[in-house]
Amino acid sequence: MIEYLIYFPILIPLITAIAIKLSWPIKITRKLILYFGPILTLACSIYIYNKFDKLNSNFDIINIFDNITISLGIEPISMVFLIMVNTLWLVATAYSLGYMISNNEKRLGNFFLFFSISISCANGAALSSNLITLFIFYELLTISTYPLVTHKGDEQSKASGRKYLLILLGTSLCFFLPAIGYVYHLSGGLEFVDQGLLFTNLLPDQINNLEISILLILFVFGISKAAVMPFHSWLPAAMVAPTPVSALLHAVAVVKVGVFSIIKILVYTFGIELLHGLNIVDLLVYICGFTIIATSIIALKQDNLKRLLAYSTISQLSYVIIAILILTPSAIIAATMHLIAHAVSKITLFFAAGAIYTSTGFTNISEMNGIGKNLKVVCFAFTLGAMSLIGLPILVGFTSKWYIVQSAASDSQWIILSIITISTLLNIGYFTPIIYKFFFTQKNANKKFKDLPLTINFAILSCCILMVILFLYPTLIIEVIKNVQ
Amino acid sequence: MIEHIAAIVVMLPIISSVFVMLIRNNSVNWLISTTASLITSIASIMMYFQISKNGNISYAMGGWEPPVGIEYRIDEFNALFIILISIASFLILLYARHSLVGELKENKISTFYSMYLLCLGGLIGILSTGDAFNAFVFLEISSLATYILISMGSDRRALLSAYQYLIMGTIGATLYVIGVGLIFVLTGSLNLHDISIRIQELELYRPLYASLAFITVGIALKVALFPLHAWLPNAYAYAPSVGTAFLSSTATKVAIYLLIKYLFLVYGYDVVYSNKIFVFVIIGLSILAMFGASLVAIFQSNLKKLFAYSSVAQIGYITLGIGIANHNGLIGSTVHIINHSIIKAAIFLAIGCIVFKTKISDTHELAGLGKKMPVIAILLTISSLSLVGIPGTVGFISKWYLIIGALEQGWWLVVLSLAISSLLALIYVGRVIELMWFHQPEDAINVNSKSLPVEMLAITFILTLATVYFGIDTRLTAGLAEIAVHNVLLGGQ
């Protein structure tokens, strides 16, 4: 029985998707299904987490050819990622219901259909136990989120959708797929192996630093969901989607599948020891550092709140990559921790931005004078999220930044340390004016505020609570990640 | 009976085509054609089992023993293709009945079935025969039937396209015969197996390479290898939808088979691939096809032409594998022949359904189709995506083998071109998908009230499903292709 459990996180969202679409005309059942799906998936994920020891092996679903199989498996990083995605899915479902109905968005049935399918793909990517399975779910995730980006159906969203598809599919077909082929050519396999497939399979004299460097570059740029410059421009473009999509997919599921894939490939395909001392790693650190600082500077100038958050996301994704590029065991913990921390904080920020839009119709920061007096909860949550990303204590962002700084310092990576310092200053630079505007400026007296649905407030509050809980109990994550060999 | 099976699969469609021509009752003819192609399919599958049990079949036509008489030689490689094209023809015929009524004049339909069967017989003949001149005869039979099939399209430009193909096809066939003549002078034999043995003893290489060049170029015209592809887009665009689906999934594929057969089973790997110029030319042309045709497809406004140019590009993939010529490259080629047949049949049949309902021919007229015909639009989306090579579809499988094959040769540039050409494919396919789902029609699409016949929908659905199914379970495609390449082309090494 327990062997089959591993399929559930993929199947339940898929069934949920179909059930929602079919039962859409009936109000009561659709709500039931909408909540039932995430709860069941989350329960399953937690159950798998508890039975972790027994499941520590791979399950082949089908052998495509030779020794290339679609197979699922569990290891610590994927476990953490899986639980994160499904927890936030539950929260985001509550939020989307409130948001979509308050804003009179059309074609809700389709919206939730593709929303659930995307989650199914993200879970599949989390559970992949070899490169080809990861690649399949990675591509399916792109395709299933495309209808969500173009949900509005106007010219702008079509143009963004085109960009989205072209960059994400294009880079993965041009770089990611040849890289997978080359790994197969080098090692004769594609599985994720402890200590790294290439590290364990190749004899020392077979290792050619140039080849490894090219492969690393192909992977990092091929996985453009991680939005390393110059393949980042799809992310701000994708912000035309409704806010719940931006929140769950473009702050959590899609982009996180990107960095998650990079972490997994670095740890389980290359093996971090293989990469020690390669010049290319330094080059990548510079590229990511440049991405972090450049996008933060761009964020400083943004007036549209969602675009600002998008640029901030790009810079935070590169944080995760820089963290893993420290290439020590503690770096794995730091990177995963930051992956989670950013997910929770950024979804809070997006939820808040969406709530502000729902209540006031504002999308630009310059309009948001003094809204803190009316939207206390929302603006408070936004402040917490921003503080977390800046890295202030009692919030999870502090923990992750602490780990990154600690592992960088213990490995004497001064460049990384200085990049982080500069970017923290920039973070403060672009978040504080917004918070100031919320609370300390005069509001427009005539402005009417719409009441927010209960679900939106509930979702925002639960995110805030999550941020604090994860600060208080970081061991929840660290104890799991420590098991990575 | 069973010992004549190699002759039956060729003769049955040809004989039935004569009856179909004489009877001239559309429903009866449809029944005869479908039954004939069904029996051919079953017989070809039986033949495959027989080969895998007892080894290759060598059938002496009319009892005249080879090398004097005409030999039909069936191995795992051509048996696989006979199965492929007979099943494809059967499925397309099931679909054809209603589609033809919509597109052809009542009195032409019987001729269509007759020529369809004649073409099928000719193609299976090319696949089975072990005789160089007999292959030419079948090549002409199938080509003549093809010219007629194309000329029957409802658009008047169909006539011109058929004429264009007639000229080009005849030039190709002539070059082929010149090549065969040269071989005959050199070796004194027309039996391909016999030739392959005698070639080993030859010392004169120049005429041998000349014959190789003549035969390759001659067949390349039929294959529509870039830059000899000019006939194909027009022919595909103006033939009846059923005809396009049939031609794209069978005719070019058989020509490619003939090319592979000459390169590997007649001349042999050592003769062909010791000639670096040949390898360079075939790889170069394949890559040009992948880029050039894809670029044209991107700017193409005629829907069927768009996918026709995409066929030229995809043929580039297949010949690329032939150029790579190692184990994985050849599997890539073989499996892409199968996969591309399935994909293009699915696409052109979906287009046939669209034409049945709306009579559109330009891509921009697709706008808003997702709302009017959601099922067909979904099917077309899936099969188009497998053209790009999205994982989980057949296109991915072929691309994977080709990439691995190129990597084994250490040809990074080839891998890069494969990757970039997928990107180009993504662009033209993406255009179609976006038009269908996210554009509002300029004026309301004129959808007629005829409901789409169940079998048209069902066959399109089955073929689209196959593009996904064989992308996940590849035992029947890549598995058999691997056996074929391993046992036949590389001689069991």
Side-chain angles (χ1 to χ4, degrees):
Chain A
M1 177 56 207
I2 195 153
E3 290 84 34
Y4 294 106
L5 210 64
I6 195 165
Y7 300 125
F8 282 21
I10 300 170
L11 288 181
I12 298 174
L14 214 56
I15 296 167
T16 312
I18 298 162
I20 292 170
K21 180 72 183 166
L22 292 180
S23 70
W24 193 253
I26 315 159
K27 257 199 168 150
I28 303 164
T29 50
R30 79 183 183 204
K31 250 192 184 157
L32 215 62
I33 295 167
L34 269 178
Y35 285 113
F36 195 62
I39 290 173
L40 203 61
T41 322
L42 184 60
C44 256
S45 316
I46 292 173
Y47 188 73
I48 295 173
Y49 169 67
N50 283 329
K51 300 279 175 190
F52 184 67
D53 297 334
K54 287 180 200 161
L55 275 170
N56 206 352
S57 55
N58 295 342
F59 302 98
D60 295 347
I61 301 177
I62 189 159
N63 191 4
I64 308 186
F65 47 77
D66 293 348
N67 43 4
I68 295 174
T69 32
I70 298 182
S71 63
L72 301 181
I74 296 178
E75 45 77 42
I77 304 176
S78 66
M79 208 53 248
V80 170
F81 185 71
L82 185 71
I83 293 185
M84 177 200 85
V85 168
N86 292 305
T87 313
L88 295 181
W89 181 31
L90 177 61
V91 181
T93 303
Y95 182 83
S96 336
L97 264 178
Y99 179 92
M100 297 301 272
I101 291 169
S102 300
N103 287 308
N104 291 323
E105 294 274 356
K106 306 224 163 48
R107 302 197 303 278
L108 278 186
N110 278 349
F111 174 83
F112 283 108
L113 171 78
F114 288 112
F115 205 79
S116 302
I117 294 178
S118 314
I119 294 297
S120 169
C121 298
N123 286 346
L127 291 171
S128 308
S129 75
N130 60 28
L131 271 174
I132 211 76
T133 319
L134 182 68
F135 184 66
I136 291 175
F137 282 114
Y138 179 95
E139 297 287 54
L140 290 179
L141 182 60
T142 309
I143 296 169
S144 59
T145 45
Y146 171 67
L148 291 171
V149 174
T150 49
H151 186 75
K152 265 196 191 128
D154 55 1
E155 268 317 309
Q156 197 199 351
S157 55
K158 263 182 281 183
S160 302
R162 224 172 287 152
K163 198 173 200 176
Y164 185 78
L165 212 57
L166 198 66
I167 293 183
L168 288 184
L169 281 184
T171 49
S172 65
L173 287 173
C174 279
F175 307 132
F176 196 4
L177 180 61
I180 295 174
Y182 203 65
V183 168
Y184 182 74
H185 172 63
L186 280 179
S187 65
L190 291 172
E191 313 80 43
F192 292 130
V193 178
D194 287 344
Q195 295 185 322
L197 177 75
L198 294 176
F199 182 68
T200 49
N201 269 27
L202 295 185
L203 301 170
D205 59 328
Q206 278 180 311
I207 294 173
N208 176 344
N209 276 349
L210 180 67
E211 283 178 346
I212 302 289
S213 307
I214 293 174
L215 261 183
L216 186 64
I217 287 283
L218 284 177
F219 273 123
V220 171
F221 289 115
I223 302 176
S224 59
K225 285 200 168 85
V228 176
M229 271 183 176
F231 298 112
H232 66 286
S233 58
W234 63 270
L235 215 167
M239 289 300 141
V240 294
T243 309
V245 174
S246 311
L248 184 63
L249 297 171
H250 300 125
V252 180
V254 173
V255 292
K256 288 293 145 53
V257 163
V259 282
F260 168 78
S261 309
I262 291 181
I263 294 179
K264 269 194 102 150
I265 287 168
L266 255 57
V267 175
Y268 295 112
T269 300
F270 287 101
I272 46 178
E273 283 173 50
L274 185 70
L275 297 173
H276 267 301
L278 283 184
N279 292 331
I280 201 74
V281 173
D282 293 334
L283 179 69
L284 276 179
V285 167
Y286 292 133
I287 296 174
C288 292
F290 179 77
T291 309
I292 293 176
I293 293 168
T295 47
S296 299
I297 292 172
I298 299 173
L300 277 175
K301 298 197 296 185
Q302 296 299 319
D303 190 33
N304 183 310
L305 185 55
K306 272 177 82 180
R307 282 186 80 83
L308 182 142
L309 293 178
Y311 280 108
S312 149
T313 305
I314 299 173
S315 88
Q316 297 287 333
L317 292 173
S318 285
Y319 255 75
V320 181
I321 300 172
I322 263 195
I324 190 75
L325 285 177
I326 298 171
L327 299 174
T328 56
S330 70
I332 303 173
I333 299 179
T336 319
M337 196 69 206
H338 195 68
L339 190 151
I340 307 286
H342 172 247
V344 181
S345 318
K346 198 39 82 52
I347 204 170
T348 316
L349 289 171
F350 269 112
F351 281 176
I356 293 170
Y357 173 71
T358 311
S359 173
T360 64
F362 293 155
T363 55
N364 290 338
I365 299 164
S366 53
E367 301 166 317
M368 297 178 182
N369 288 327
I371 54 170
K373 295 187 182 67
N374 289 65
L375 298 168
K376 283 199 184 65
V377 180
V378 174
C379 291
F380 178 66
F382 189 93
T383 313
L384 281 187
M387 281 162 66
S388 170
L389 280 188
I390 292 167
L392 295 177
I394 76 141
L395 294 161
V396 62
F398 168 76
T399 324
S400 69
K401 214 162 232 181
W402 172 260
Y403 272 97
I404 298 177
V405 169
Q406 201 191 27
S407 25
S410 65
D411 205 44
S412 312
Q413 302 262 17
W414 305 116
I415 298 164
I416 296 182
L417 280 177
S418 46
I419 292 170
I420 290 173
T421 317
I422 297 171
S423 100
T424 306
L425 290 176
L426 286 168
N427 276 344
I428 298 173
Y430 60 77
F431 277 130
T432 35
I434 307 174
I435 297 167
Y436 179 82
K437 207 148 216 170
F438 283 172
F439 293 106
F440 303 109
T441 48
Q442 274 306 314
K443 70 166 180 174
N444 181 352
N446 303 326
K447 181 66 197 170
K448 286 213 170 62
F449 288 85
K450 256 203 309 190
D451 283 336
L452 287 176
L454 200 62
T455 46
I456 289 187
N457 282 326
F458 161 78
I460 291 179
L461 278 178
S462 12
C463 285
C464 294
I465 294 168
L466 262 180
M467 282 195 287
V468 179
I469 289 181
L470 286 174
F471 170 76
L472 295 174
Y473 304 102
T475 42
L476 282 177
I477 296 165
I478 291 162
E479 284 306 314
V480 183
I481 303 295
K482 267 192 181 154
N483 295 321
V484 174
Q485 302 288 315
Chain B
M1 193 64 185
I2 193 87
E3 66 269 18
H4 295 296
I5 197 161
I8 290 172
V9 289
V10 180
M11 293 320 292
L12 184 69
I14 295 183
I15 293 172
S16 331
S17 88
V18 177
F19 281 110
V20 167
M21 200 61 169
L22 293 174
I23 290 175
R24 307 207 75 82
N25 173 320
N26 293 344
S27 310
V28 176
N29 281 340
W30 175 76
L31 203 64
I32 296 176
S33 322
T34 322
T35 322
S37 60
L38 178 63
I39 296 173
T40 315
S41 313
I42 295 171
S44 62
I45 293 170
M46 280 165 59
M47 199 158 71
Y48 192 88
F49 281 118
Q50 210 186 332
I51 291 168
S52 53
K53 211 166 65 189
N54 302 334
N56 295 350
I57 296 176
S58 168
Y59 178 81
M61 190 53 107
W64 297 87
E65 288 300 321
V68 178
I70 292 172
E71 180 196 18
Y72 279 24
R73 200 177 174 81
I74 320 278
D75 47 41
E76 278 128 330
F77 195 52
N78 52 12
L80 181 62
F81 286 121
I82 297 176
I83 295 178
L84 172 75
I85 70 162
S86 53
I87 291 183
S89 315
F90 168 64
L91 289 176
I92 295 170
L93 268 175
L94 277 183
Y95 172 102
R97 187 159 67 118
H98 293 283
S99 178
L100 285 181
V101 172
E103 289 186 38
L104 294 188
K105 286 206 185 85
E106 190 72 21
N107 58 356
K108 278 186 177 175
I109 292 178
S110 291
T111 322
F112 185 90
Y113 286 131
S114 171
M115 289 304 124
Y116 187 101
L117 285 175
L118 190 63
C119 187
L120 175 64
L123 293 175
I124 297 180
I126 300 173
L127 291 174
S128 350
T129 188
D131 184 279
F133 196 76
N134 194 228
F136 165 72
V137 172
F138 280 123
L139 201 63
E140 281 301 282
I141 291 179
S142 63
S143 300
L144 288 172
T146 311
Y147 306 143
I148 300 173
L149 284 181
I150 294 168
S151 70
M152 291 173 105
S154 52
D155 194 309
R156 283 177 65 84
R157 279 170 287 187
L159 289 174
L160 194 66
S161 333
Y163 186 69
Q164 193 181 7
Y165 184 26
L166 179 102
I167 302 287
M168 305 267 291
T170 311
I171 295 173
T174 314
L175 293 178
Y176 174 80
V177 174
I178 295 175
V180 170
L182 274 172
I183 292 186
F184 185 64
V185 171
L186 283 172
T187 62
S189 174
L190 283 173
N191 182 297
L192 293 176
H193 188 64
D194 201 30
I195 293 171
S196 72
I197 296 167
R198 295 190 190 193
I199 276 180
Q200 312 291 334
E201 300 153 6
L202 282 182
E203 284 167 8
L204 271 177
Y205 264 52
R206 198 173 288 272
L208 189 66
Y209 281 131
S211 70
L212 173 66
F214 273 117
I215 288 180
T216 309
V217 174
I219 300 174
L221 258 162
K222 290 283 174 188
V223 172
L225 176 62
F226 188 88
L228 306 173
H229 66 282
W231 61 269
L232 185 140
N234 284 330
Y236 280 17
Y238 302 118
S241 304
V242 176
T244 312
F246 174 66
L247 292 180
S248 66
S249 58
T250 59
T252 46
K253 306 298 180 294
V254 170
I256 292 168
Y257 165 79
L258 195 60
L259 184 62
I260 296 178
K261 188 171 189 170
Y262 268 98
L263 296 184
F264 287 88
L265 298 181
V266 180
Y267 288 95
Y269 181 87
D270 298 330
V271 175
V272 175
Y273 287 87
S274 59
N275 189 339
K276 290 293 165 226
I277 299 173
F278 179 85
V279 179
F280 179 76
V281 167
I282 197 154
I283 296 265
L285 289 182
S286 307
I287 291 176
L288 278 178
M290 281 151 54
F291 286 169
S294 301
L295 280 174
V296 179
I298 291 173
F299 298 105
Q300 191 50 249
S301 65
N302 182 309
L303 182 61
K304 275 167 125 185
K305 263 193 193 170
L306 185 152
F307 284 109
Y309 275 107
S310 134
S311 278
V312 177
Q314 301 284 324
I315 287 165
Y317 282 79
I318 300 173
T319 45
L320 183 71
I322 299 175
I324 293 170
N326 56 17
H327 193 245
N328 280 320
L330 288 172
I331 296 177
S333 270
T334 316
V335 87
H336 199 54
I337 294 177
I338 302 171
N339 289 343
H340 185 239
S341 289
I342 302 172
I343 298 172
K344 272 291 145 63
I347 287 178
F348 281 119
L349 292 187
I351 293 177
C353 292
I354 296 170
V355 172
F356 184 85
K357 290 277 282 186
T358 63
K359 298 282 176 227
I360 64 176
S361 64
D362 263 25
T363 43
H364 69 86
E365 290 171 297
L366 281 174
L369 197 84
K371 288 203 189 64
K372 299 278 184 190
M373 302 173 68
V375 181
I376 292 295
I378 289 173
L379 295 180
L380 187 57
T381 306
I382 294 174
S383 45
S384 313
L385 282 177
S386 59
L387 205 56
V388 183
I390 299 296
T393 61
V394 286
F396 172 70
I397 306 293
S398 340
K399 207 162 283 177
W400 174 264
Y401 275 113
L402 290 175
I403 287 178
I404 297 292
L407 281 173
E408 279 170 4
Q409 296 278 22
W411 294 346
W412 271 95
L413 279 177
V414 173
V415 178
L416 193 70
S417 346
L418 270 167
I420 294 174
S421 93
S422 327
L423 193 66
L424 296 176
L426 177 67
I427 296 175
Y428 62 74
V429 158
R431 231 185 80 215
V432 172
I433 294 176
E434 196 188 289
L435 271 165
M436 283 193 300
W437 293 103
F438 300 106
H439 279 254
Q440 298 305 321
E442 281 154 20
D443 20 66
I445 311 181
N446 207 348
V447 177
N448 58 33
S449 56
K450 283 189 286 185
S451 63
L452 198 62
V454 180
E455 58 259 52
M456 283 175 75
L457 191 62
I459 299 295
T460 316
F461 181 77
I462 289 172
L463 282 166
T464 312
L465 198 68
T467 64
V468 177
Y469 178 80
F470 289 125
I472 295 168
D473 181 359
T474 62
R475 277 171 298 180
L476 284 177
T477 53
L480 295 185
E482 190 167 356
I483 294 173
V485 168
H486 188 261
N487 290 359
V488 181
L489 295 191
L490 302 178
Q493 293 152 21

